[in-house]
Amino acid sequence: MSLIVKAGKAGKGFLKAVNLLPEEVPHVSYTRRVERVKTEARICAMTFDDGPMDLPAAPNQFHGRALTDLILDALAEFDAKGTFDVIGDTSLNYPDEAGREGSASWGGIRYDHYPDIGKDEFGGVVHNDRLVRRILSEGHQITNHGYRHILFGKKPLVYGKRIHYGSVHSAVGDLRRLDQWMREKYNYIITMGRPPHYVDNLNGGFTSYDVYDRMGYQYLAASFDGAGWLPSSKRGREALEEEITLMTNPIRAALLQNPDAFCGQIIFQKDGYNMARRTPVAWGLPLQLEILHQYGYRVVSVAELMEECPFADVGRENPLFEKMARLAKRRGVAFSDNKLRLEDRMTMGELAMLLAPKEEALDLRWARMRRVKERAHPYYGALAWCARERILPRNVKPDAPVTELPFGIFDETRTFTRRAVYEAFREDWIDQGEHQEAEIRRIEEQLHGWVVPPLPPAPPLPPAPGTPDEQSIEDAAQAAEVAEEAASAEAQAAEIAEAATEEAETVTETEVAGDATEAAEAEIEEADAVEVAEAAAEEETEEAETVQPPEGIAEVAPETEPPEEASEGAEEPQPAPEPPPIAAPVAPATLALLESLQKSAQAQAPQPPQAQAAQSVAQAQPIAQPQPAPPQAVEAAPEPEPPHVETAEEAYVHALAEVYTEDTGSAHKIMNLPHLEDIPHVDGIPVMPPPPKDLKDLFPDME
C-alpha cells in the first residue's frame, strides 16, 4: 500500500480521536448513507467506480479486451450483478497536468481524468455507448458519480490543489447533467449517487445530503474496501501479485472468522487504473467472487439489496418492517446513517419530518439558508411547514420530546417512543394530503392554460375504531334495497287486489253503467241486466256466484271468514268482502294492463256506486252476495265461430294480434304485451273496455 495513503488514513483517525475532526451527529434525513443493510440472507453487493473504461487491463494479458468488459465477464460467470458508479466525461477538465505516479494526484493535479490524463475519450458514459448498453442489458445498476467528477467541496489534506464546486447549485447541476444523459439516451432512471472522493461539505452550510435531497437520490457508500484501487510499494510482477493478494485475503479471512460476515455488505471496487496505473481488479475480482460463491453468497445490485432490507438496524423479522419500508419512500423516518432507532424517544423535529412533505420542507429550509447565509437546522423546513399548516405549535424546539400527537393523524398510544409513534401513525393521512396538494397544483397549471389530466379520486381514510367497515355498510345497503323492492312489490300486489275487488263489486257494472252518459244506452243496459237476473233466478243451484281472480294474479291466502247473511227484506246489498292477501307480485305487463282498464272504466263512469247498480236490478230480483271460494282455474274464452258479428272481446283480441304482428320495435314494448288469459274476468266473462281506437288507447301509460 502507498505510504501516502497509509499516512492519510492514520492522520484522519488521529484527528477524529482528538475531536478535531468530529463526525456529524446523525439526524432524520430524506437522504440516507447506505453502507450496509440488516439481513440474515447471504447476499452482498459490489460497486465499481469511475468507469466505464474502454482501455485494456494493465498489464495487458487479455488480448486487448477492455477492462469494463473483463469485469462484466467475471460477473456473468458467477451470475452476479454489479453496481457501476459511472462518470460522464472528464475531457473538459483542463488545463491540467499529471501528478506523481503512486500519489493521489496521479491522474491530474487540478482535476481528475478517467481513465487517465490525456485519454478522456476512452472513459465515461459519453464516450462508451457500447459498454453502457451492455451494462444495462445484463441487468446491472448504474449510479451517479458526477458528470465531470469534480469535488463538491474542499479536501485540503489530500486534494489541497483541486478545483471544487463549493456551491450546492453547481454540484446539483453537475449531477443533473449526467442524470439527464441517462434518461434521454437510455431511458434509465438513476436513484443513487456517490460524491467524488466522499467529500460532503459545501459552502453556505450545505452538504452532499442536501445535494442528493434535491436529486431524489440515496447516498451510496460502502462497508468493505475491495482494495483494487490501492497501489503496492513493490515493483514489477511482485507489485501486481501483492495487489491481487490484498483484494482476496481480507475477504477470505473475514469469512473464516464468521461465515455470515458479508450478509448485507457493500464492497467497494475500482473500474479503472489504480494509482500506479495497474488494474488488479481484472485478476482479483474472479477470485473474490469464487470465495463468496464457496460460502453460498449471491452478489446482487445495491438496489436489489435495499429491496431485501433498506435499513441498517431493522430487518424483516421486525413486525414494523413493512410499514417503515413504505414510509421511508415517502417521508423522513430514518437517520442519515440509515438507522431507525425505534426504541429512542421521539422528538418534535423527528415528528415533523414524518408529517411534512419532502419538497415543501426542503424549499422552506433552503429559503432560510439563502436568506441568513448560514446553515439551518435539518428539521427547520419540516417544522415550518407543520406550523404553517397548524399541525404543530409554532416556535417548538426540534429536540423537545413529544408529549402528545396531533388529532386525527394517529391512533391512540400511551408511550412516545419512535416505535410507538410509527405504529400509531395512519398512513392514509399521507394519501389524503398528497391528493389535495396535487389537486391544487393541477388547478394552478390549468390557470396557466396547460392541459392537465384529471386526478384519480382521493383514497378514503380507514374507519375509526368501532365504525363498520365498507363491506358491512355495503351489505346493509343491499339489504335495505332488497327490503325496499319487497315493499314495493307488496304495494303493487295490494293495488292489483284492490282493483280486482272493485271489479267484483260491480258484477254487471260494464252492462249497466258502461254508457251512463247517454240515457238511451242506460235503459238498454238496464233491460239487459233484468234479463240476466231472471235467467239467474231460474237456475236450480242455490250456490252463490263466485268471483274468480284473473290468472295473472297470484293465488290467494287461506279462506277468509264469509260475511254475515243479509237480513230478509233488505233491499240494500251488503258490502263486498275485503280482498284476500296477495301471495306474490304480479308481472309488470299485467299490472300495466290492469291500470289501463281501471283508468278507462273511471273515465266512462265517473261515479259508479254500488247502490246504483243494485237499484237498476232491484225491480227484478236482489243479487246474491258472492261468497269466497277456493281459487279455480279460469276457463279459456271460447273462440268465435265465423261467420258472425264481431264482439268487443273479439275486437280486443284482433287488436292484440295486430299489435303483435305489426312491428317488432320497442316503442310500445310489444314483446311484453299481456295475453288474453291475463285479462281480468268476472264470472268467467272478460271485463272488456270499449273497443280501442288506436294503440295509445290500448296502452295509454306505456312508453
Side-chain angles (χ1 to χ4, degrees):
M1 182 184 297
S2 172
L3 296 177
I4 297 179
V5 176
K6 289 183 178 180
K9 289 188 174 182
K12 187 175 182 180
F14 173 77
L15 293 176
K16 289 183 178 180
V18 298
N19 292 328
L20 295 178
L21 190 64
E23 294 184 357
E24 185 176 357
V25 178
H27 60 277
V28 172
S29 174
Y30 302 114
T31 297
R32 314 188 306 274
R33 183 184 176 102
V34 183
E35 295 183 352
R36 182 177 185 173
V37 301
K38 182 178 177 59
T39 177
E40 296 179 356
R42 290 193 177 182
I43 58 175
C44 62
M46 287 185 176
T47 65
F48 301 88
D49 277 22
D50 306 327
M53 172 180 168
D54 197 16
L55 287 178
N60 185 4
Q61 298 179 356
F62 300 94
H63 308 287
R65 191 165 177 78
L67 176 65
T68 303
D69 280 322
L70 295 176
I71 293 174
L72 292 171
D73 292 344
L75 293 173
E77 181 181 356
F78 291 92
D79 193 23
K81 303 300 179 184
T83 299
F84 289 83
D85 198 32
V86 301
I87 63 163
D89 177 24
T90 58
S91 61
L92 298 178
N93 295 350
Y94 292 95
D96 198 8
E97 60 182 5
R100 184 174 58 85
E101 186 174 288
S103 67
S105 59
W106 67 273
I109 295 176
R110 302 183 64 193
Y111 300 97
D112 278 315
H113 301 273
Y114 294 113
D116 201 349
I117 190 168
K119 299 181 180 180
D120 307 87
E121 68 273 15
F122 295 99
V125 298
V126 175
H127 304 291
N128 290 285
D129 178 73
R130 179 188 66 83
L131 292 175
V132 173
R133 293 189 183 278
R134 183 185 175 189
I135 291 172
L136 296 178
S137 65
E138 295 183 6
H140 304 288
Q141 182 182 2
I142 286 180
T143 58
N144 197 329
H145 200 33
Y147 187 87
R148 297 175 60 186
H149 201 273
I150 294 179
L151 300 179
F152 287 175
K154 294 181 179 180
K155 194 171 185 179
L157 186 62
V158 180
Y159 297 105
K161 297 182 180 180
R162 283 289 172 90
I163 301 298
H164 64 278
Y165 280 124
S167 167
V168 66
H169 301 288
S170 300
V172 170
D174 180 87
L175 296 181
R176 189 162 291 160
R177 188 175 181 182
L178 178 55
D179 187 274
Q180 291 177 350
W181 179 276
M182 293 301 301
R183 286 174 183 263
E184 296 172 2
K185 193 171 182 64
Y186 304 102
N187 194 29
Y188 184 82
I189 308 300
I190 297 178
T191 59
M192 303 188 77
R194 176 179 287 163
H197 301 296
Y198 289 105
V199 177
D200 292 333
N201 294 323
L202 288 82
N203 297 339
F206 292 97
T207 68
S208 57
Y209 292 87
D210 298 310
V211 175
Y212 291 144
D213 277 345
R214 278 304 183 191
M215 294 299 300
Y217 291 172
Q218 294 301 330
Y219 191 132
L220 175 61
S223 55
F224 190 88
D225 189 355
W229 60 281
L230 292 173
S232 171
S233 57
K234 298 182 179 180
R235 295 183 179 275
R237 184 179 181 85
E238 293 181 356
L240 180 62
E241 291 177 353
E242 184 181 42
E243 291 167 356
I244 296 173
T245 301
L246 291 174
M247 291 185 64
T248 57
N249 282 353
I251 292 180
R252 183 180 289 108
L255 291 173
L256 286 173
Q257 184 177 359
N258 179 13
D260 296 326
F262 284 91
C263 292
Q265 291 236 43
I266 300 176
I267 302 172
F268 177 87
Q269 305 281 18
K270 175 74 172 179
D271 183 9
Y273 297 128
N274 65 9
M275 294 181 180
R277 290 185 172 87
R278 288 186 292 266
T279 58
V281 67
W283 293 269
L285 177 61
L287 297 176
Q288 290 177 335
L289 293 172
E290 176 64 31
I291 296 171
L292 292 170
H293 178 72
Q294 291 176 356
Y295 280 84
Y297 279 86
R298 187 165 55 94
V299 178
V300 300
S301 66
V302 177
E304 186 176 349
L305 190 68
M306 293 186 67
E307 286 296 326
E308 172 66 23
C309 177
F311 309 115
D313 61 340
V314 173
R316 289 188 173 273
E317 71 281 356
N318 194 298
L320 202 56
F321 173 82
E322 295 293 343
K323 185 174 186 179
M324 298 308 300
R326 292 192 302 268
L327 289 176
K329 297 179 180 179
R330 313 176 70 178
R331 289 293 194 266
V333 295
F335 286 84
S336 53
D337 60 358
N338 202 28
K339 294 182 179 180
L340 290 174
R341 295 179 170 84
L342 295 178
E343 307 309 324
D344 292 355
R345 180 69 179 266
M346 175 75 79
T347 66
M348 295 299 292
E350 296 165 5
L351 178 62
M353 292 293 288
L354 169 64
L355 300 176
K358 174 183 175 181
E359 295 301 327
E360 295 197 37
L362 291 176
D363 289 341
L364 291 171
R365 182 171 180 265
W366 280 44
R368 165 77 177 181
M369 294 174 70
R370 285 193 296 266
R371 185 170 63 253
V372 301
K373 306 298 182 183
E374 63 182 20
R375 181 175 176 81
H377 196 282
Y379 305 150
Y380 174 86
L383 286 168
W385 182 87
C386 291
R388 187 187 69 187
E389 299 297 324
R390 299 183 180 180
I391 299 177
L392 297 178
R394 293 184 177 274
N395 300 323
V396 65
K397 294 182 179 180
D399 297 331
V402 173
T403 57
E404 60 180 352
L405 298 173
F407 177 77
I409 305 176
F410 296 85
D411 295 329
E412 185 178 357
T413 179
R414 296 181 179 180
T415 61
F416 298 99
T417 62
R418 290 172 54 82
R419 178 188 297 276
V421 172
Y422 290 134
E423 287 177 346
F425 180 67
R426 302 175 67 180
E427 291 182 82
D428 289 341
W429 178 82
I430 299 180
D431 298 328
Q432 292 287 334
E434 289 182 351
H435 184 275
Q436 294 173 3
E437 294 166 7
E439 180 68 17
I440 293 173
R441 288 194 300 270
R442 187 180 70 86
I443 295 173
E444 291 176 348
E445 292 173 353
Q446 285 181 340
L447 293 177
H448 287 82
W450 303 335
V451 179
V452 182
L455 291 172
L461 284 173
T467 310
D469 56 6
E470 294 182 358
Q471 185 63 35
S472 61
I473 294 175
E474 183 178 356
D475 295 342
Q478 292 179 355
E481 184 177 355
V482 171
E484 183 179 355
E485 291 178 355
S488 176
E490 184 178 354
Q492 292 177 359
E495 292 179 0
I496 297 300
E498 183 178 356
T501 304
E502 291 179 359
E503 296 294 340
E505 291 176 353
T506 57
V507 177
T508 59
E509 183 177 345
T510 56
E511 292 84 2
V512 177
D515 298 324
T517 56
E518 299 180 3
E521 293 182 2
E523 293 177 358
I524 295 174
E525 296 294 335
E526 290 177 2
D528 293 339
V530 172
E531 293 178 1
V532 172
E534 291 176 353
E538 294 175 359
E539 294 179 358
E540 296 179 357
T541 176
E542 296 180 358
E543 182 179 357
E545 297 178 357
T546 59
V547 179
Q548 301 294 338
E551 187 176 354
I553 303 177
E555 297 182 357
V556 298
E559 297 183 0
T560 58
E561 296 182 1
E564 297 180 0
E565 297 182 356
S567 60
E568 296 182 358
E571 298 181 357
E572 296 182 0
Q574 296 295 329
E578 297 182 357
I582 302 301
V586 185
T590 306
L591 175 62
L593 178 62
L594 291 176
E595 291 179 352
S596 64
L597 294 176
Q598 183 180 3
K599 290 184 179 180
S600 177
Q602 291 177 355
Q604 296 186 14
Q607 297 179 354
Q610 181 183 3
Q612 182 178 357
Q615 186 176 1
S616 301
V617 297
Q619 298 176 358
Q621 183 178 352
I623 300 177
Q625 298 298 326
Q627 300 295 329
Q632 300 179 3
V634 179
E635 297 180 0
E639 296 182 0
E641 298 180 359
H644 68 279
V645 180
E646 188 176 50
T647 63
E649 177 184 353
E650 293 171 345
Y652 186 82
V653 173
H654 292 169
L656 287 178
E658 291 177 1
V659 173
Y660 273 111
T661 60
E662 181 182 44
D663 192 5
T664 57
S666 59
H668 298 281
K669 300 182 180 179
I670 294 171
M671 302 307 296
N672 294 325
L673 291 178
H675 294 283
L676 180 62
E677 54 266 28
D678 294 331
I679 302 172
H681 288 60
V682 176
D683 294 339
I685 301 175
V687 180
M688 304 300 299
K693 297 179 181 180
D694 53 23
L695 293 178
K696 292 183 179 179
D697 292 336
L698 260 176
F699 307 102
D701 295 332
M702 300 182 68
E703 297 181 358

